[in-house]
Amino acid sequence: MKFAFFLPLLLTSFVANSVQNFNNAKTHLVKIYTANREQTTFYCGCEFSFNGKRGNVDFSQCGYTPRKNQVRAARIEWEHVMPAENFGRHLKCWRNGGRKECKKDAVFNTMEGDLHNLQPSIGEVNGDRSNFRYSQFTKTPNQYGQCQSAVDFKQRQFQPREEIRGVIARTYFYMQDKYNINLSDAQSKLMTAWDNEYPPNEWECERNKQIERIQGNDNRFITEKCTN
């Protein structure tokens, strides 16, 4: 699929006094994905569209079958590729009261609202992924119809479809580099393998540029692999 990229003036940059947080990030992301229409959900590759701020998923196009939650499956949610717990637990606020307490912390709000770490997801899959670690296992991906991602609830693992494994790796490296987040040896090895095996496609490169215009910084792990 080829993408037609165009960037309205309203996406050019954060104003000087703009606050980087999750709510503002979602507003910017809706604008990005509305302007670049031929986009798909992160974990399942389903086409979607926005009616205002509400995202709607086209199940017929991608063969998605809701596993359990039909209502949540029908909407778009913004998924933190690196879960909030992974970066939040490094902060004192998380130890004092988890995500609720960290909502009062400016550092956490900045990390939670980082556009580079957010992707559009079918709500049900976003909920099922929870804060499970990414992995590769042998489970046949049939929990969501033709969606090629799978979840192992018992082992608390999530196996993403092949097309996005490189995106995940470069996002994890970005979060590690930007916010000094520790990755385990197993995570580092897996992400290094995915980064090497799955290079950026056209949309990953373009999305990185658009986020840089808005947020003021790129993901260098994408930039260095994209041609000018």
Side-chain angles (χ1 to χ4, degrees):
M1 179 181 294
K2 294 184 178 180
F3 302 104
F5 302 122
F6 58 96
L7 192 65
L9 292 176
L10 51 82
L11 294 183
T12 54
S13 65
F14 269 122
V15 294
N17 62 349
S18 180
V19 177
Q20 185 173 317
N21 58 38
F22 192 32
N23 284 336
N24 286 342
K26 289 186 285 187
T27 298
H28 285 290
L29 287 164
V30 169
K31 293 174 182 177
I32 289 174
Y33 282 86
T34 300
N36 299 277
R37 296 182 182 281
E38 296 183 38
Q39 300 304 330
T40 59
T41 62
F42 193 55
Y43 293 129
C44 297
C46 295
E47 291 183 5
F48 65 93
S49 60
F50 282 101
N51 181 10
K53 292 185 177 181
R54 180 178 176 83
N56 301 299
V57 184
D58 184 357
F59 291 160
S60 64
Q61 177 271 336
C62 65
Y64 182 90
T65 302
R67 182 186 68 84
K68 186 177 180 180
N69 193 328
Q70 177 79 37
V71 174
R72 193 169 181 182
R75 68 180 187 232
I76 291 293
E77 295 178 0
W78 296 105
E79 160 78 321
H80 287 91
V81 178
M82 175 180 281
E85 182 180 1
N86 287 40
F87 53 79
R89 66 190 178 199
H90 291 262
L91 302 174
K92 182 179 179 180
C93 62
W94 195 274
R95 297 189 292 272
N96 289 341
R99 192 169 190 163
K100 182 178 180 180
E101 185 67 23
C102 276
K103 285 291 188 180
K104 308 170 188 175
D105 186 276
V107 175
F108 176 82
N109 286 331
T110 296
M111 291 191 286
E112 188 185 34
D114 196 309
L115 298 171
H116 290 292
N117 189 43
L118 292 164
Q119 294 283 352
S121 173
I122 289 173
E124 180 181 46
V125 183
N126 181 33
D128 285 353
R129 189 266 166 131
S130 183
N131 61 355
F132 295 174
R133 68 186 182 277
Y134 291 114
S135 184
Q136 286 182 241
F137 47 88
T138 58
K139 188 176 183 64
T140 302
N142 60 8
Q143 294 159 302
Y144 309 102
Q146 296 178 28
C147 175
Q148 292 300 297
S149 293
V151 60
D152 185 331
F153 292 101
K154 185 175 182 180
Q155 298 298 322
R156 297 180 62 82
Q157 297 179 353
F158 188 90
Q159 178 175 274
R161 61 192 181 109
E162 290 188 16
E163 293 87 345
I164 61 169
R165 290 175 184 175
V167 182
I168 290 168
R170 287 178 283 278
T171 302
Y172 264 62
F173 289 147
Y174 166 83
M175 294 295 288
Q176 178 188 43
D177 182 65
K178 177 74 173 176
Y179 301 109
N180 195 29
I181 306 300
N182 296 325
L183 301 182
S184 68
D185 289 343
Q187 281 183 317
S188 293
K189 289 178 181 178
L190 179 63
M191 297 305 164
T192 298
W194 283 358
D195 181 36
N196 291 331
E197 188 172 356
Y198 304 101
N201 62 16
E202 184 183 1
W203 169 238
E204 185 180 352
C205 294
E206 178 62 25
R207 181 183 187 271
N208 182 45
K209 292 177 182 177
Q210 294 192 21
I211 289 175
E212 181 178 14
R213 295 186 188 110
I214 297 168
Q215 188 167 283
N217 69 294
D218 69 337
N219 178 340
R220 67 181 182 87
F221 299 95
I222 299 173
T223 302
E224 65 189 18
K225 291 198 169 190
C226 294
T227 56
N228 296 325

